[in-house]
Amino acid sequence: MLNTFKTLQTIKSSTVTNLIIYYLQKLPLVKRVIKDELYANLSGKQAIAIIVFIIRIIASLLLRMLYVGLLIYFPIQWLSGDLPKEIQWQQFVHIFFMISFLVAGVSSATILEPKREKYVAIKLFRISPDAYMRNALVLRYLSFFIYLLPVMFLFGRLLQGSYLQIILLCLLATLWRIATEYMHLKLFERTKCILIKQVGIVWLVIGLGYLGAFLPLYLSYTPPTYKLLLHPLAFILIGAVGGAAALSLNRYRNYRAITDAATKRDDPYLNVGQMVSDAQKTSVGTKDSDYTRQSADGRNVNGKEGFSYLNALFFARHHSIVTAPYYKRLAITGIAGLILLAGSLLFQQQLANIQIQVKHILPFLLMTMYFLLVGDKLCKAIFYHCDISMLRYSFYRRAAYEHFYIRFIKVIKQNTVISTLLAVALTSILTLTGTELWSKDIAYLWICIYALTLFYSIHHLFMYYIFQPYTTELNIKNPLYHFISSFVSALSTIVIFIRPEPKPFVIFMTLLAIIYAINAFILVRKRGHLTFKLK
């Protein structure tokens, strides 16, 4: 086991070291100093590997600190800083439970997680899948507990949580995550379903989980999670389940099938044509009926030429992947609107007493529309079914701005319909709860929704054309793309806790959307032919 552990650490360190050398060679001032010979310089790479190891430890602690601090502790201080520390600690436990137990239990699974390290260790180094998974699981959850504990001590003690409670909370989280690993494993055995790759289910759980975590805080309500989770019976139950899961995972003898399934789609060394075929059968898959539609050869492409004709033909012959996300979001918006409208009619008097205002809704629009509007999935579909082939030609790359504009028009048309339906639903609900239909607050709501529509419609396409994060192996490997995407997602969460006033918030978002759109068109026109390329 020790030899396997050393080998895995060597693979991980070598991979990170090579990536650092690769990206250093991309920097304007440094690339002349960093030569390719450094890849073969063992002494130099060992020195870098030691630095990387230390940085990884520090980074792991910082990530836990950012997670617990920014996502749990500071929102509590912003929204309930005047409450007693005892109540704040109970809110802390509730949010931690919702995110680290429920959400992470569904969205994270080391066993079925697709990783390059897993492929290299098992397929290339021929390490036994059983030995690899046992080492990976031990390292994952031992480090999870070790890194989490000091951070929880820091923020937990600020809220006057006892040392014993904090230790129990970290231990329960670790045991529960081990239990969910086993649940993911058994689900795959029975159904061949890799739950963490079911994007719709995962994001639904994330959305509901975060809503359940922060809504009580926003409404100044303290759920009884603290009493239930830290009750001795809960510790005995979770301890028994987690311990049994750990023993079962240690005794499991069929990890080869699990690792094969986890690395199959994201395997970086598979044949590209086979990967495209696999991708077509999944989230960006086409249907045979798309190619027999009358619109594929008829009215939708008549009178068009050049890139307008190419894109019209693409949209017609890939009708299912172009319109399916759009219709799903329309259906979600409509059904959710009807449910909320029915609830508003039934509890009209109670809601009038609560006095729901536009300023309560506006901060949630950033996150809501981030997930509700189309864009990201359409970019993937366009890449897999069109650009992955066409980017091999220089004339196509030179015309990046032309098809960027055509696709932007397509995206914003779809998003405008979704946004209008959302605006109508929210206006109806606010009117029932006492807001005047022609008030300035309603105007702020509509202006903000359309500003966010412009922002998110341009955002995904701009990121696609400027960074083009997809490789021919169908992976996303652009650090800056990941950073900006994470930043926008985090910003949509932070706004909820800042709770800005409607007028300055709407003005800011409107100006931001307009400036972003103008700069996006300018940058794509000037730089698109250089950045929009096959990797």
Side-chain angles (χ1 to χ4, degrees):
M1 185 171 182
L2 185 60
N3 290 333
T4 304
F5 175 77
K6 289 180 179 178
T7 303
L8 293 180
Q9 293 306 304
T10 302
I11 293 172
K12 189 175 294 186
S13 298
S14 298
T15 302
V16 176
T17 303
N18 289 337
L19 283 173
I20 290 174
I21 295 172
Y22 174 79
Y23 283 110
L24 284 175
Q25 289 180 317
K26 300 292 184 181
L27 297 177
L29 299 178
V30 183
K31 62 182 180 182
R32 295 182 180 180
V33 180
I34 306 297
K35 304 296 183 182
D36 289 341
E37 289 76 11
L38 185 57
Y39 287 107
N41 188 336
L42 294 180
S43 59
K45 289 183 69 175
Q46 285 175 352
I48 296 175
I50 293 172
I51 297 172
V52 168
F53 181 74
I54 296 172
I55 291 174
R56 280 172 50 200
I57 294 175
I58 297 172
S60 297
L61 282 169
L62 288 176
L63 284 174
R64 297 298 190 283
M65 190 169 294
L66 289 172
Y67 163 66
V68 178
L70 290 180
L71 202 58
I72 304 177
Y73 177 78
F74 287 112
I76 291 173
Q77 294 302 302
W78 286 332
L79 295 180
S80 61
D82 55 340
L83 293 176
K85 294 294 183 182
E86 180 184 357
I87 302 299
Q88 292 184 25
W89 170 242
Q90 293 177 19
Q91 293 278 11
F92 182 95
V93 172
H94 170 73
I95 297 173
F96 181 78
F97 170 77
M98 293 298 297
I99 298 175
S100 294
F101 283 69
L102 300 185
V103 172
V106 174
S107 61
S108 175
T110 301
I111 288 178
L112 294 164
E113 184 182 15
K115 295 177 67 176
R116 181 181 290 268
E117 172 200 321
K118 187 180 292 186
Y119 176 85
V120 172
I122 295 172
K123 302 295 185 180
L124 301 185
F125 279 71
R126 302 298 180 184
I127 295 175
S128 165
D130 294 350
Y132 170 84
M133 286 309 310
R134 291 192 188 98
N135 275 270
L137 288 170
V138 169
L139 179 63
R140 171 74 178 89
Y141 289 105
L142 186 61
S143 62
F144 176 82
F145 180 79
I146 291 172
Y147 290 133
L148 181 63
L149 190 60
V151 175
M152 291 291 284
F153 273 136
L154 172 63
F155 292 105
R157 289 299 297 161
L158 289 174
L159 298 177
Q160 297 182 1
S162 70
Y163 287 106
L164 179 60
Q165 289 174 338
I166 293 169
I167 293 172
L168 287 178
L169 203 57
C170 294
L171 189 58
L172 286 173
T174 306
L175 290 170
W176 177 258
R177 297 284 285 274
I178 294 172
T180 58
E181 287 278 358
Y182 187 68
M183 294 175 193
H184 280 274
L185 175 63
K186 300 308 291 183
L187 177 65
F188 175 78
E189 272 193 341
R190 292 177 179 272
T191 65
K192 301 302 178 185
C193 171
I194 301 178
L195 184 58
I196 60 173
K197 289 186 177 181
Q198 303 301 312
V199 179
I201 296 175
V202 170
W203 279 111
L204 179 62
V205 171
I206 291 173
L208 294 176
Y210 275 78
L211 182 64
F214 293 110
L215 189 59
L217 185 64
Y218 197 78
L219 299 175
S220 300
Y221 168 70
T222 304
T225 311
Y226 166 82
K227 296 179 181 179
L228 297 174
L229 185 60
L230 295 178
H231 194 278
L233 289 178
F235 179 76
I236 293 171
L237 179 61
I238 295 176
V241 172
L247 290 175
S248 299
L249 290 170
N250 184 57
R251 294 172 181 172
Y252 193 71
R253 293 292 180 268
N254 193 27
Y255 279 118
R256 181 169 295 280
I258 305 299
T259 54
D260 286 345
T263 57
K264 182 178 180 181
R265 185 185 300 177
D266 297 277
D267 183 344
Y269 300 99
L270 287 175
N271 176 269
V272 174
Q274 181 61 46
M275 285 188 294
V276 174
S277 176
D278 290 341
Q280 289 174 339
K281 297 175 183 177
T282 56
S283 63
V284 293
T286 58
K287 296 179 180 179
D288 292 339
S289 59
D290 291 342
Y291 298 95
T292 60
R293 289 175 56 86
Q294 181 181 356
S295 59
D297 299 314
R299 53 187 174 83
N300 283 352
V301 297
N302 285 340
K304 298 182 186 296
E305 58 183 21
F307 291 109
S308 295
Y309 176 82
L310 174 66
N311 281 278
L313 198 63
F314 169 79
F315 293 138
R317 292 187 174 178
H318 297 80
H319 183 264
S320 61
I321 58 176
V322 172
T323 60
Y326 166 63
Y327 287 129
K328 285 179 182 177
R329 284 159 174 77
L330 269 182
I332 291 170
T333 306
I335 293 171
L338 288 174
I339 292 173
L340 291 174
L341 192 60
S344 300
L345 287 170
L346 290 173
F347 303 101
Q348 188 172 359
Q349 184 61 46
Q350 292 85 339
L351 291 173
N353 294 332
I354 297 174
Q355 294 183 341
I356 297 176
Q357 300 176 24
V358 169
K359 68 178 182 180
H360 299 142
I361 296 175
L362 289 181
F364 289 94
L365 286 178
L366 268 77
M367 180 179 291
T368 302
M369 297 186 71
Y370 180 81
F371 294 110
L372 195 61
L373 299 181
V374 300
D376 180 56
K377 193 169 183 178
L378 181 61
C379 290
K380 286 182 182 179
I382 290 172
F383 178 77
Y384 294 156
H385 294 289
C386 180
D387 293 346
I388 195 172
S389 299
M390 296 301 296
L391 281 173
R392 302 179 189 278
Y393 303 103
S394 59
F395 77 89
Y396 191 78
R397 296 193 298 272
R398 286 196 301 268
Y401 178 77
E402 283 81 353
H403 35 84
F404 168 80
Y405 175 77
I406 293 167
R407 292 162 180 178
F408 168 73
I409 297 300
K410 180 71 174 181
V411 170
I412 201 167
K413 282 181 179 178
Q414 291 185 342
N415 284 339
T416 300
V417 176
I418 297 170
S419 299
T420 302
L421 182 60
L422 176 66
V424 169
L426 291 176
T427 301
S428 302
I429 293 166
L430 286 168
T431 304
L432 286 174
T433 58
T435 304
E436 293 183 6
L437 182 60
W438 303 109
S439 68
K440 62 180 181 180
D441 286 342
I442 297 297
Y444 288 150
L445 177 69
W446 281 74
I447 293 170
C448 186
I449 286 176
Y450 283 128
L452 289 171
T453 301
L454 174 62
F455 178 85
Y456 286 126
S457 296
I458 202 75
H459 173 67
H460 293 295
L461 281 170
F462 173 72
M463 295 275 284
Y464 175 47
Y465 274 81
I466 291 298
F467 298 113
Q468 207 302 86
Y470 308 114
T471 68
T472 53
E473 294 87 9
L474 309 187
N475 294 314
I476 298 177
K477 293 183 180 178
N478 190 307
L480 196 54
Y481 177 89
H482 284 295
F483 173 78
I484 295 175
S485 298
S486 301
F487 176 78
V488 172
S489 179
L491 186 63
S492 66
T493 304
I494 292 171
V495 169
I496 295 174
F497 304 111
I498 297 176
R499 294 194 284 189
E501 288 298 317
K503 184 177 180 179
F505 177 72
V506 170
I507 292 173
F508 174 78
M509 289 308 307
T510 303
L511 291 175
L512 178 64
I514 294 171
I515 293 170
Y516 190 12
I518 292 171
N519 282 278
F521 278 100
I522 293 173
L523 284 172
V524 173
R525 180 184 283 275
K526 290 185 176 181
R527 302 285 302 172
H529 64 286
L530 299 174
T531 57
F532 191 54
K533 58 186 179 180
L534 202 61
K535 298 178 181 179

